[in-house]
Amino acid sequence: MQRFDAIVIGGGLVGSAIAYGLAREGLKPALIDEGDVAFRASRGNFGLVWVQSKGFGAPHYQRWTRLSSEEWPSLAAELKERTGIDTGHERPGGVHLCLSDAEFDERRARMEQMRAEAGNFGFEYKMLGPADLREMLPGLGPAVVGASWTRYDGHANSLYLLHALHKGFIARGGTYIPNRTVDYAGVAPNDFRLGSGADEISAPKIVLAAGLGNAKLAPLFGLSAPVRPQRGQILVTERASRVFEMPTTTVRQTVEGGIMIGDSMEDVGFDTSQRPDVMRAMAERAVRSFPFLAELQVVRAWAALRVMPPDGTPIYDESEKFSGAFTANCHSGVTLAGAHANAFAPMIAAGTLDPMMAPFSAKRFDVPQAA
Amino acid sequence: MTLERVDFAVIGAGPAGMAAATLAAELGLDTVLIDEQEAPGGLIYRGIERAEDHSPLGDDYLAGRQLAGALRASGATYRPATTVWHLDPEGTLSLISGSGTETLRARRILVATGAIERPAPIPGWTLPGVMTAGAAQIMLKTGDLVPSGRAVLAGQGPLLWLVAAQLVRAGATPAAILETAPHRNYHAAARLLPRVLWPARRALWKGLSLIREVRRAGIPIRREVTGLRALGRNRLEAVAWDSGEIAADLLLLHEGVIPNTQISLALGLEHRWDDAQLCWRPVADEWGATSLPTISIAGDGGGIAGAEASALTGRLAALDVADFLDKLDPAERDRRAGPIRAALRRELAIRLLLDRLYRPAPAILVPEDDIIACRCEEVTVGQIRRAARLGAQGPNQAKAFTRCGMGPCQGRICGTIVSAVMADTLGRPIQEIGAYRPRAPYKPITLGALAGLDAE
Amino acid sequence: MFRRRPEAVGPTVTVTVEGTELHVPQGVSAAAAMLLAGLASVRETPVTGAKRSPYCLMGICFDCLAEIDGQPNRQSCMVTVAPGMAIRRQRGKRSVGIE
């Protein structure tokens, strides 16, 4: 029987960022994870550290994302220094391309609303026309009508981040326990036990960061995490010399040179199979955006399941029934890594969530719809 | 362009695919045979339609003409220079060829993509001038091309001796043969000899004749070679081993062949680690039916058995599919299968011996730390071990941490090495560690082709 | 590294390898043409610039990647020579053509 200061369930980007943050706060955490074959949203990530589309209708989410984006550079630097792994983080701003006037108008309206909702916090954006865009993005196609741009956006390598967080976690004294499915033995306020006999581990704090697995786990701890899978497919091309300095929501170039293309959103349950017709649609849009991409070979592609809360906004909660139990759920494990490691983890270490997290609680789903 | 649904789609025009497609068409199935190459034959019978009567490649090779001829004469639709880039087990194949992308639908699909050379990760194996023995054979088959300088053959297995003999006949006698089959392999094989001597007498005789032919050519032969390494700065200059060294321009490595499991793994078929052949094999029954109802496997892709056996398992799969699609009743299927199975038993008789005699030394599966495991991304064995110690539980997590398996070959070369290295590091059986899960596109495809733009 | 057997018969095809004209047997791959041309290496890797040449010649290893008729990163062992084909080494990452 092993005792820890905290147990984090889920070794993906969310769990490992929180676990890393806890270890940095001086706790001795355990990070529980599944085996080699699991849904693992983190392995399917596009790699954006994205602000401009986050928190539409939910200003607290907007602010949380901005906070994370501000924390990212210091987290990246710290991880590089401690683990030697460069997460490839760049923050040149980012662009959302519009391929029709209707898309452009809709986007502008959305950006305006984001700004209005941000209030005093502020949200600066620009709507750009093709001439300005072409300077930022070489090879832009004639089909592109314009784009929204903010300076807050950037990108990083999601797998290097995962690797760095794991390595950093262990370097700071964390214990990684893989190949475990959670088979709880006991849930009591500030006393959580998983497993049994010699395998049993316990801690006064527990964080549910198991992605799609949280939906079933949460109620056991007096929490609610009604997340659903949303499939996304990604294509990656052969390595090419550097073309794009600026990421877009659907096309970005990695540090190695491959160009990544996203960004499908499919409601198909727990199905991680690829669909040629979806891949075709993604390729079509990419080639319309940048005609020169047509010549590039796709060498790799995959499908993964995003962890999607009902309204798209993250769910952060602490259990009222079982004090010491927390949960974190989102579909932006890369973007929010800064917040998870540098803001959320300290809250857990302190024992309770800051009042600013209240709007993220799953209680918001209990509110009856306004008539 | 979307075609109507055919009965039977066969992927791979080697002996298994050719035999299956030919028989299926004969039995009245609407059959399509798809293959990447421009002519039939797969690897073993590559270039067979252009072969000359007195080819240095020998009579076993020329026997492939019959299969190719029968295919051409059959009612099967043969689609050469066509690549399958995605396969939906529901029965939809996504194809790419010179005329762009297309979709083919089939009721049943046979994956007959054959075997690949087992990677031989010796120090210096990525140097220019280091190739596989099979590569030299392809040069001979496709253009009568032979090594021009000092060629050294190294490794073990029937193909090593076959290629040596073929090169001698072609007037390009190798400078040396370094056989790596360890001492204990010969002992273990000798113990099996009484059991296989009679059933495998033909194959044994052929093998011994081949070795005799090679010896008669006067090539220096070293046995039980250990510590094999390729030396040179930017290209091969010499081949060294624990007790010797020889200058060389070309090193032809061979450590046996293993099933090409790229598509079978991508489909999510159940696989098992075969400890006798030290490779992954898709789990299939005696008709080649797999864990997915629409997919069959035949040929070396299901387990190494050789060209003749591949044709036989191809035919068994065709019979099974014909039964399933009601072109054949089960009794007739079984009746026709009888002689095929008898022939198959004869072909398989020697396998027990070959698998033991030519079992690769441990360092072929689990090399030293500083050797490159993933050639594409240049990831060393040591880096993979470190990923395992950091917590990666299998090849897919190791891939996430190290990039191994992310390059153009998508894990084809490094797959077995990575699984074996992780098993060794974590102290668990390879079966438990698992294999890569490859995804589409199975071969690269341009964004333009994917988007449906016309091919240039 | 390789040569044609003197006994070999059959037509040849004229291609260029790194700009130099070469007559190769009809039906061979572009990779074979580069080996016949005696190139010290066929490509430089995009990862470290290490020099590579074909390893398997059967479409598995991708070490034969070369630029063929202006298109980079093609598996040269999977491409049959055609008259006038321009075959060049693949030097690291491909470049991208933007007007």
Short mmCIF file of all heavy atoms in Angstrom, two decimals, chain A residues 36 40 43 159-160 163 170 176 178-179 239 256 261 272 274 276 279-280 284 293-294 296-301 303, chain B residues 85-86 94 377 390-391 393-397 400-401 403 406 410 428 439-441 444-448 450-453:
data_model
loop_
_atom_site.label_atom_id
_atom_site.label_comp_id
_atom_site.label_asym_id
_atom_site.label_seq_id
_atom_site.Cartn_x
_atom_site.Cartn_y
_atom_site.Cartn_z
N ASP A 36 -0.73 1.03 -23.63
CA ASP A 36 -0.30 1.58 -24.92
C ASP A 36 -1.48 1.87 -25.83
O ASP A 36 -1.45 2.80 -26.62
CB ASP A 36 0.65 0.59 -25.61
CG ASP A 36 1.39 1.23 -26.76
OD1 ASP A 36 1.91 2.35 -26.56
OD2 ASP A 36 1.46 0.63 -27.84
N ARG A 40 -6.66 8.18 -25.69
CA ARG A 40 -5.55 9.12 -25.76
C ARG A 40 -5.72 10.30 -26.70
O ARG A 40 -5.03 10.43 -27.72
CB ARG A 40 -4.26 8.37 -26.11
CG ARG A 40 -3.96 7.28 -25.11
CD ARG A 40 -2.48 6.92 -25.10
NE ARG A 40 -2.19 5.99 -24.04
CZ ARG A 40 -1.99 6.35 -22.78
NH1 ARG A 40 -2.04 7.63 -22.44
NH2 ARG A 40 -1.72 5.43 -21.87
N ARG A 43 -2.67 12.17 -28.08
CA ARG A 43 -1.82 11.76 -29.19
C ARG A 43 -2.40 12.22 -30.51
O ARG A 43 -1.80 12.09 -31.54
CB ARG A 43 -1.64 10.23 -29.19
CG ARG A 43 -0.81 9.74 -28.05
CD ARG A 43 0.04 8.54 -28.44
NE ARG A 43 -0.76 7.39 -28.76
CZ ARG A 43 -0.79 6.26 -28.06
NH1 ARG A 43 -0.08 6.17 -26.96
NH2 ARG A 43 -1.54 5.26 -28.43
N LEU A 159 3.23 16.46 -28.76
CA LEU A 159 3.89 15.26 -28.24
C LEU A 159 5.17 15.58 -27.48
O LEU A 159 5.48 14.93 -26.48
CB LEU A 159 4.17 14.27 -29.39
CG LEU A 159 2.91 13.70 -30.05
CD1 LEU A 159 3.29 12.78 -31.19
CD2 LEU A 159 2.05 12.95 -29.04
N TYR A 160 5.89 16.59 -27.93
CA TYR A 160 7.07 16.99 -27.17
C TYR A 160 6.62 17.52 -25.81
O TYR A 160 7.29 17.31 -24.79
CB TYR A 160 7.86 18.08 -27.90
CG TYR A 160 8.51 17.63 -29.19
CD1 TYR A 160 9.16 18.55 -30.01
CD2 TYR A 160 8.50 16.31 -29.60
CE1 TYR A 160 9.76 18.16 -31.19
CE2 TYR A 160 9.09 15.91 -30.78
CZ TYR A 160 9.72 16.85 -31.58
OH TYR A 160 10.30 16.47 -32.75
N HIS A 163 5.82 14.56 -23.62
CA HIS A 163 7.07 13.94 -23.22
C HIS A 163 7.75 14.77 -22.12
O HIS A 163 8.18 14.25 -21.10
CB HIS A 163 7.99 13.82 -24.45
CG HIS A 163 9.21 12.99 -24.21
ND1 HIS A 163 10.24 12.93 -25.14
CD2 HIS A 163 9.59 12.20 -23.19
CE1 HIS A 163 11.19 12.13 -24.69
NE2 HIS A 163 10.83 11.67 -23.52
N ILE A 170 8.50 13.21 -13.41
CA ILE A 170 9.32 12.19 -12.76
C ILE A 170 10.57 12.80 -12.15
O ILE A 170 10.98 12.43 -11.05
CB ILE A 170 9.64 11.05 -13.75
CG1 ILE A 170 8.37 10.26 -14.01
CG2 ILE A 170 10.75 10.16 -13.24
CD1 ILE A 170 8.47 9.24 -15.10
N TYR A 176 4.92 7.56 -11.74
CA TYR A 176 4.04 7.26 -12.86
C TYR A 176 3.65 5.80 -12.78
O TYR A 176 4.50 4.92 -12.68
CB TYR A 176 4.78 7.56 -14.17
CG TYR A 176 4.00 7.24 -15.43
CD1 TYR A 176 2.83 7.92 -15.73
CD2 TYR A 176 4.46 6.28 -16.32
CE1 TYR A 176 2.12 7.66 -16.89
CE2 TYR A 176 3.75 6.01 -17.48
CZ TYR A 176 2.59 6.69 -17.77
OH TYR A 176 1.89 6.42 -18.91
N PRO A 178 1.58 3.19 -14.89
CA PRO A 178 0.80 2.89 -16.09
C PRO A 178 0.08 1.56 -16.00
O PRO A 178 0.20 0.84 -15.02
CB PRO A 178 1.90 2.82 -17.16
CG PRO A 178 3.10 2.32 -16.43
CD PRO A 178 2.97 2.76 -14.99
N ASN A 179 -0.66 1.26 -17.07
CA ASN A 179 -1.37 -0.02 -17.18
C ASN A 179 -2.36 -0.25 -16.05
O ASN A 179 -2.55 -1.36 -15.60
CB ASN A 179 -0.39 -1.20 -17.21
CG ASN A 179 0.27 -1.31 -18.57
OD1 ASN A 179 -0.35 -1.09 -19.60
ND2 ASN A 179 1.54 -1.61 -18.57
N ARG A 239 8.10 16.31 -44.97
CA ARG A 239 8.80 17.49 -44.46
C ARG A 239 9.15 18.43 -45.61
O ARG A 239 9.67 18.00 -46.63
CB ARG A 239 10.09 17.07 -43.77
CG ARG A 239 9.87 16.25 -42.53
CD ARG A 239 11.20 15.90 -41.93
NE ARG A 239 11.10 14.95 -40.86
CZ ARG A 239 11.71 15.08 -39.68
NH1 ARG A 239 12.44 16.14 -39.44
NH2 ARG A 239 11.59 14.15 -38.77
N GLU A 256 9.57 20.38 -37.54
CA GLU A 256 10.31 19.46 -38.42
C GLU A 256 10.08 19.77 -39.89
O GLU A 256 10.86 19.35 -40.74
CB GLU A 256 9.88 18.01 -38.20
CG GLU A 256 10.26 17.43 -36.85
CD GLU A 256 9.30 17.85 -35.78
OE1 GLU A 256 8.12 18.10 -36.10
OE2 GLU A 256 9.72 17.93 -34.62
N ILE A 261 -2.70 19.36 -41.39
CA ILE A 261 -3.99 19.83 -41.84
C ILE A 261 -5.07 19.22 -40.97
O ILE A 261 -5.15 18.01 -40.82
CB ILE A 261 -4.18 19.47 -43.33
CG1 ILE A 261 -3.26 20.35 -44.17
CG2 ILE A 261 -5.62 19.65 -43.77
CD1 ILE A 261 -2.75 19.71 -45.42
N THR A 272 -12.72 5.58 -33.79
CA THR A 272 -11.50 6.27 -34.19
C THR A 272 -11.04 5.86 -35.58
O THR A 272 -9.87 5.99 -35.93
CB THR A 272 -10.34 6.00 -33.21
OG1 THR A 272 -10.15 4.57 -33.13
CG2 THR A 272 -10.61 6.55 -31.84
N GLN A 274 -10.64 6.16 -39.63
CA GLN A 274 -10.49 7.28 -40.55
C GLN A 274 -11.55 7.18 -41.64
O GLN A 274 -12.00 6.11 -41.99
CB GLN A 274 -9.11 7.26 -41.20
CG GLN A 274 -7.99 7.46 -40.20
CD GLN A 274 -6.67 7.03 -40.79
OE1 GLN A 274 -6.39 5.85 -40.92
NE2 GLN A 274 -5.86 7.99 -41.16
N PRO A 276 -12.11 8.32 -45.58
CA PRO A 276 -11.55 8.95 -46.79
C PRO A 276 -12.33 10.18 -47.25
O PRO A 276 -11.74 11.14 -47.72
CB PRO A 276 -11.62 7.83 -47.83
CG PRO A 276 -11.52 6.57 -47.04
CD PRO A 276 -12.24 6.86 -45.76
N MET A 279 -11.25 13.01 -45.10
CA MET A 279 -9.88 13.38 -45.45
C MET A 279 -9.88 14.17 -46.75
O MET A 279 -9.13 15.13 -46.92
CB MET A 279 -9.03 12.11 -45.59
CG MET A 279 -8.85 11.36 -44.27
SD MET A 279 -8.20 9.68 -44.47
CE MET A 279 -6.48 10.01 -44.73
N ARG A 280 -10.74 13.75 -47.66
CA ARG A 280 -10.83 14.44 -48.94
C ARG A 280 -11.32 15.88 -48.74
O ARG A 280 -10.77 16.81 -49.31
CB ARG A 280 -11.81 13.69 -49.84
CG ARG A 280 -11.94 14.30 -51.20
CD ARG A 280 -13.19 13.79 -51.91
NE ARG A 280 -13.10 14.13 -53.30
CZ ARG A 280 -12.94 13.26 -54.29
NH1 ARG A 280 -12.87 11.99 -54.03
NH2 ARG A 280 -12.85 13.68 -55.54
N GLU A 284 -9.28 19.18 -49.68
CA GLU A 284 -9.88 20.16 -50.59
C GLU A 284 -9.79 21.57 -50.03
O GLU A 284 -9.41 22.51 -50.72
CB GLU A 284 -11.36 19.84 -50.79
CG GLU A 284 -11.69 19.20 -52.10
CD GLU A 284 -13.14 18.69 -52.13
OE1 GLU A 284 -13.94 19.10 -51.27
OE2 GLU A 284 -13.41 17.88 -53.02
N LEU A 293 -0.13 23.54 -51.92
CA LEU A 293 -0.15 22.33 -51.10
C LEU A 293 -0.51 21.09 -51.90
O LEU A 293 -0.24 19.97 -51.47
CB LEU A 293 -1.13 22.48 -49.93
CG LEU A 293 -0.76 23.45 -48.81
CD1 LEU A 293 -1.86 23.49 -47.76
CD2 LEU A 293 0.56 23.07 -48.17
N ALA A 294 -1.16 21.27 -53.04
CA ALA A 294 -1.62 20.11 -53.83
C ALA A 294 -0.49 19.14 -54.16
O ALA A 294 -0.70 17.93 -54.23
CB ALA A 294 -2.29 20.59 -55.11
N LEU A 296 2.13 18.43 -52.34
CA LEU A 296 2.75 17.78 -51.17
C LEU A 296 2.09 16.45 -50.87
O LEU A 296 0.88 16.30 -50.98
CB LEU A 296 2.63 18.69 -49.95
CG LEU A 296 3.83 19.60 -49.65
CD1 LEU A 296 4.14 20.50 -50.81
CD2 LEU A 296 3.59 20.39 -48.39
N GLN A 297 2.92 15.48 -50.49
CA GLN A 297 2.40 14.16 -50.18
C GLN A 297 2.00 14.07 -48.71
O GLN A 297 2.74 14.50 -47.85
CB GLN A 297 3.46 13.09 -50.44
CG GLN A 297 3.87 12.98 -51.89
CD GLN A 297 4.95 11.95 -52.07
OE1 GLN A 297 4.69 10.76 -52.15
NE2 GLN A 297 6.18 12.40 -52.12
N VAL A 298 0.85 13.49 -48.47
CA VAL A 298 0.45 13.16 -47.11
C VAL A 298 1.15 11.86 -46.75
O VAL A 298 1.01 10.86 -47.44
CB VAL A 298 -1.09 12.96 -47.03
CG1 VAL A 298 -1.49 12.52 -45.62
CG2 VAL A 298 -1.80 14.23 -47.43
N VAL A 299 1.96 11.89 -45.68
CA VAL A 299 2.66 10.67 -45.30
C VAL A 299 2.04 10.01 -44.07
O VAL A 299 2.29 8.86 -43.77
CB VAL A 299 4.17 10.90 -45.05
CG1 VAL A 299 4.84 11.38 -46.31
CG2 VAL A 299 4.41 11.87 -43.91
N ARG A 300 1.22 10.78 -43.36
CA ARG A 300 0.71 10.28 -42.10
C ARG A 300 -0.64 10.91 -41.84
O ARG A 300 -0.86 12.09 -42.18
CB ARG A 300 1.68 10.71 -41.00
CG ARG A 300 1.77 9.88 -39.79
CD ARG A 300 3.13 10.03 -39.11
NE ARG A 300 3.55 11.37 -38.84
CZ ARG A 300 3.28 12.05 -37.74
NH1 ARG A 300 2.56 11.52 -36.81
NH2 ARG A 300 3.75 13.27 -37.57
N ALA A 301 -1.55 10.18 -41.25
CA ALA A 301 -2.84 10.75 -40.89
C ALA A 301 -3.41 9.94 -39.73
O ALA A 301 -2.98 8.81 -39.50
CB ALA A 301 -3.80 10.73 -42.08
N ALA A 303 -7.01 9.66 -36.76
CA ALA A 303 -8.27 10.15 -36.21
C ALA A 303 -8.20 9.97 -34.71
O ALA A 303 -7.67 8.99 -34.23
CB ALA A 303 -9.45 9.36 -36.77
N TRP B 85 -4.72 2.90 -50.59
CA TRP B 85 -4.23 3.80 -49.53
C TRP B 85 -5.10 3.79 -48.30
O TRP B 85 -4.71 4.23 -47.22
CB TRP B 85 -4.00 5.22 -50.06
CG TRP B 85 -5.21 5.99 -50.46
CD1 TRP B 85 -5.74 6.11 -51.71
CD2 TRP B 85 -6.04 6.80 -49.62
NE1 TRP B 85 -6.84 6.93 -51.70
CE2 TRP B 85 -7.05 7.36 -50.43
CE3 TRP B 85 -6.03 7.10 -48.25
CZ2 TRP B 85 -8.04 8.21 -49.93
CZ3 TRP B 85 -7.02 7.95 -47.75
CH2 TRP B 85 -8.01 8.48 -48.59
N HIS B 86 -6.33 3.24 -48.45
CA HIS B 86 -7.18 3.05 -47.27
C HIS B 86 -8.09 1.88 -47.52
O HIS B 86 -8.53 1.66 -48.66
CB HIS B 86 -8.00 4.31 -46.97
CG HIS B 86 -8.92 4.17 -45.79
ND1 HIS B 86 -10.29 3.96 -45.92
CD2 HIS B 86 -8.67 4.20 -44.46
CE1 HIS B 86 -10.82 3.88 -44.71
NE2 HIS B 86 -9.88 4.02 -43.81
N SER B 94 -9.95 2.38 -51.03
CA SER B 94 -9.59 3.65 -51.64
C SER B 94 -8.29 3.45 -52.40
O SER B 94 -7.29 3.04 -51.85
CB SER B 94 -9.39 4.72 -50.56
OG SER B 94 -10.59 4.93 -49.85
N GLU B 377 13.46 8.39 -38.93
CA GLU B 377 13.59 9.50 -37.99
C GLU B 377 14.90 9.46 -37.22
O GLU B 377 15.15 10.29 -36.36
CB GLU B 377 12.41 9.49 -37.00
CG GLU B 377 11.05 9.71 -37.67
CD GLU B 377 10.88 11.12 -38.19
OE1 GLU B 377 11.33 12.07 -37.51
OE2 GLU B 377 10.30 11.29 -39.29
N LEU B 390 10.75 5.76 -19.12
CA LEU B 390 9.99 6.94 -18.72
C LEU B 390 8.52 6.59 -18.53
O LEU B 390 7.75 7.36 -17.98
CB LEU B 390 10.13 8.02 -19.81
CG LEU B 390 9.68 9.43 -19.44
CD1 LEU B 390 10.52 9.98 -18.31
CD2 LEU B 390 9.78 10.33 -20.65
N GLY B 391 8.13 5.42 -19.01
CA GLY B 391 6.75 5.01 -18.81
C GLY B 391 6.02 4.56 -20.05
O GLY B 391 4.91 4.04 -19.95
N GLN B 393 4.52 2.29 -22.55
CA GLN B 393 4.19 0.88 -22.33
C GLN B 393 4.18 0.06 -23.61
O GLN B 393 4.02 -1.15 -23.56
CB GLN B 393 2.81 0.77 -21.68
CG GLN B 393 2.76 1.40 -20.30
CD GLN B 393 3.70 0.70 -19.34
OE1 GLN B 393 3.54 -0.46 -19.03
NE2 GLN B 393 4.72 1.41 -18.87
N GLY B 394 4.29 0.73 -24.72
CA GLY B 394 4.23 0.00 -25.99
C GLY B 394 4.74 0.89 -27.11
O GLY B 394 5.08 2.06 -26.89
N PRO B 395 4.78 0.33 -28.32
CA PRO B 395 5.36 1.07 -29.45
C PRO B 395 4.63 2.38 -29.76
O PRO B 395 5.26 3.34 -30.21
CB PRO B 395 5.22 0.11 -30.63
CG PRO B 395 4.61 -1.12 -30.13
CD PRO B 395 4.33 -1.00 -28.70
N ASN B 396 3.32 2.44 -29.53
CA ASN B 396 2.60 3.65 -29.89
C ASN B 396 2.93 4.80 -28.94
O ASN B 396 3.04 5.95 -29.34
CB ASN B 396 1.09 3.37 -29.94
CG ASN B 396 0.77 2.33 -31.00
OD1 ASN B 396 0.89 2.58 -32.19
ND2 ASN B 396 0.41 1.12 -30.58
N GLN B 397 3.13 4.48 -27.67
CA GLN B 397 3.57 5.52 -26.73
C GLN B 397 5.02 5.89 -26.98
O GLN B 397 5.39 7.06 -26.88
CB GLN B 397 3.39 5.06 -25.28
CG GLN B 397 1.95 5.12 -24.82
CD GLN B 397 1.80 4.70 -23.38
OE1 GLN B 397 1.96 3.54 -23.04
NE2 GLN B 397 1.52 5.65 -22.52
N ALA B 400 5.13 8.33 -29.62
CA ALA B 400 4.77 9.67 -29.16
C ALA B 400 5.95 10.36 -28.50
O ALA B 400 6.14 11.56 -28.63
CB ALA B 400 3.59 9.60 -28.19
N PHE B 401 6.78 9.60 -27.80
CA PHE B 401 7.90 10.21 -27.08
C PHE B 401 9.14 10.40 -27.94
O PHE B 401 9.97 11.25 -27.65
CB PHE B 401 8.26 9.35 -25.86
CG PHE B 401 7.35 9.54 -24.68
CD1 PHE B 401 7.50 8.78 -23.54
CD2 PHE B 401 6.33 10.48 -24.70
CE1 PHE B 401 6.66 8.94 -22.43
CE2 PHE B 401 5.48 10.66 -23.61
CZ PHE B 401 5.66 9.88 -22.47
N ARG B 403 9.32 9.87 -31.70
CA ARG B 403 9.08 10.02 -33.14
C ARG B 403 9.40 8.76 -33.94
O ARG B 403 9.23 8.73 -35.15
CB ARG B 403 9.90 11.18 -33.76
CG ARG B 403 9.48 12.57 -33.32
CD ARG B 403 10.08 13.64 -34.22
NE ARG B 403 9.63 13.47 -35.59
CZ ARG B 403 8.50 13.96 -36.08
NH1 ARG B 403 7.69 14.65 -35.31
NH2 ARG B 403 8.18 13.76 -37.34
N MET B 406 7.27 7.50 -37.08
CA MET B 406 6.50 8.59 -37.67
C MET B 406 6.98 8.97 -39.06
O MET B 406 6.41 9.84 -39.71
CB MET B 406 6.61 9.83 -36.79
CG MET B 406 5.75 9.76 -35.58
SD MET B 406 5.66 11.39 -34.87
CE MET B 406 4.77 11.01 -33.38
N GLN B 410 6.50 4.60 -41.92
CA GLN B 410 5.39 4.35 -41.00
C GLN B 410 5.57 3.06 -40.20
O GLN B 410 4.63 2.29 -40.02
CB GLN B 410 4.05 4.33 -41.76
CG GLN B 410 3.63 5.71 -42.25
CD GLN B 410 3.32 6.65 -41.10
OE1 GLN B 410 2.31 6.54 -40.43
NE2 GLN B 410 4.21 7.59 -40.82
N ARG B 428 8.74 -7.81 -20.33
CA ARG B 428 7.45 -8.43 -20.60
C ARG B 428 7.49 -9.09 -21.97
O ARG B 428 8.31 -8.72 -22.81
CB ARG B 428 6.34 -7.37 -20.55
CG ARG B 428 6.18 -6.73 -19.18
CD ARG B 428 4.75 -6.40 -18.91
NE ARG B 428 4.25 -5.35 -19.78
CZ ARG B 428 4.33 -4.06 -19.51
NH1 ARG B 428 4.90 -3.65 -18.40
NH2 ARG B 428 3.83 -3.18 -20.34
N ARG B 439 -1.81 3.76 -39.75
CA ARG B 439 -3.06 4.34 -40.24
C ARG B 439 -2.93 4.65 -41.72
O ARG B 439 -1.84 4.61 -42.28
CB ARG B 439 -3.40 5.65 -39.48
CG ARG B 439 -3.20 5.73 -38.02
CD ARG B 439 -4.05 4.90 -37.07
NE ARG B 439 -5.46 4.72 -37.28
CZ ARG B 439 -6.45 5.34 -36.61
NH1 ARG B 439 -6.17 6.25 -35.73
NH2 ARG B 439 -7.70 5.07 -36.85
N ALA B 440 -4.04 5.02 -42.31
CA ALA B 440 -4.02 5.44 -43.71
C ALA B 440 -3.44 6.85 -43.76
O ALA B 440 -3.57 7.59 -42.78
CB ALA B 440 -5.44 5.44 -44.26
N PRO B 441 -2.83 7.26 -44.86
CA PRO B 441 -2.65 6.52 -46.10
C PRO B 441 -1.55 5.46 -45.98
O PRO B 441 -0.50 5.74 -45.42
CB PRO B 441 -2.24 7.60 -47.10
CG PRO B 441 -1.60 8.66 -46.28
CD PRO B 441 -2.27 8.63 -44.94
N PRO B 444 2.16 7.08 -49.32
CA PRO B 444 1.91 8.52 -49.46
C PRO B 444 1.01 8.83 -50.65
O PRO B 444 1.08 8.17 -51.68
CB PRO B 444 3.32 9.10 -49.67
CG PRO B 444 4.24 8.11 -49.06
CD PRO B 444 3.60 6.77 -49.28
N ILE B 445 0.20 9.85 -50.48
CA ILE B 445 -0.70 10.30 -51.54
C ILE B 445 -0.71 11.82 -51.48
O ILE B 445 -0.75 12.40 -50.39
CB ILE B 445 -2.11 9.68 -51.34
CG1 ILE B 445 -3.13 10.29 -52.29
CG2 ILE B 445 -2.59 9.77 -49.92
CD1 ILE B 445 -4.48 9.61 -52.24
N THR B 446 -0.66 12.48 -52.63
CA THR B 446 -0.58 13.95 -52.59
C THR B 446 -1.91 14.53 -52.14
O THR B 446 -2.97 13.93 -52.32
CB THR B 446 -0.23 14.56 -53.96
OG1 THR B 446 -1.28 14.26 -54.88
CG2 THR B 446 1.09 14.04 -54.49
N LEU B 447 -1.85 15.73 -51.57
CA LEU B 447 -3.06 16.42 -51.15
C LEU B 447 -3.95 16.67 -52.36
O LEU B 447 -5.17 16.62 -52.26
CB LEU B 447 -2.72 17.75 -50.48
CG LEU B 447 -2.32 17.64 -49.01
CD1 LEU B 447 -1.70 18.94 -48.54
CD2 LEU B 447 -3.53 17.28 -48.15
N GLY B 448 -3.33 16.96 -53.49
CA GLY B 448 -4.10 17.19 -54.70
C GLY B 448 -4.89 15.95 -55.11
O GLY B 448 -6.07 16.02 -55.43
N LEU B 450 -5.70 13.47 -53.18
CA LEU B 450 -6.69 13.24 -52.12
C LEU B 450 -7.89 14.15 -52.31
O LEU B 450 -9.04 13.75 -52.12
CB LEU B 450 -6.03 13.49 -50.77
CG LEU B 450 -6.76 13.11 -49.50
CD1 LEU B 450 -7.24 11.68 -49.57
CD2 LEU B 450 -5.83 13.29 -48.30
N ALA B 451 -7.61 15.40 -52.73
CA ALA B 451 -8.70 16.37 -52.92
C ALA B 451 -9.48 16.08 -54.19
O ALA B 451 -10.50 16.73 -54.44
CB ALA B 451 -8.13 17.79 -52.96
N GLY B 452 -9.01 15.13 -54.97
CA GLY B 452 -9.75 14.75 -56.17
C GLY B 452 -9.41 15.57 -57.38
O GLY B 452 -10.12 15.55 -58.38
N LEU B 453 -8.26 16.28 -57.30
CA LEU B 453 -7.84 17.04 -58.49
C LEU B 453 -7.29 16.06 -59.51
O LEU B 453 -6.78 15.01 -59.17
CB LEU B 453 -6.75 18.05 -58.11
CG LEU B 453 -7.11 19.02 -56.99
CD1 LEU B 453 -5.95 19.95 -56.70
CD2 LEU B 453 -8.36 19.82 -57.34
#
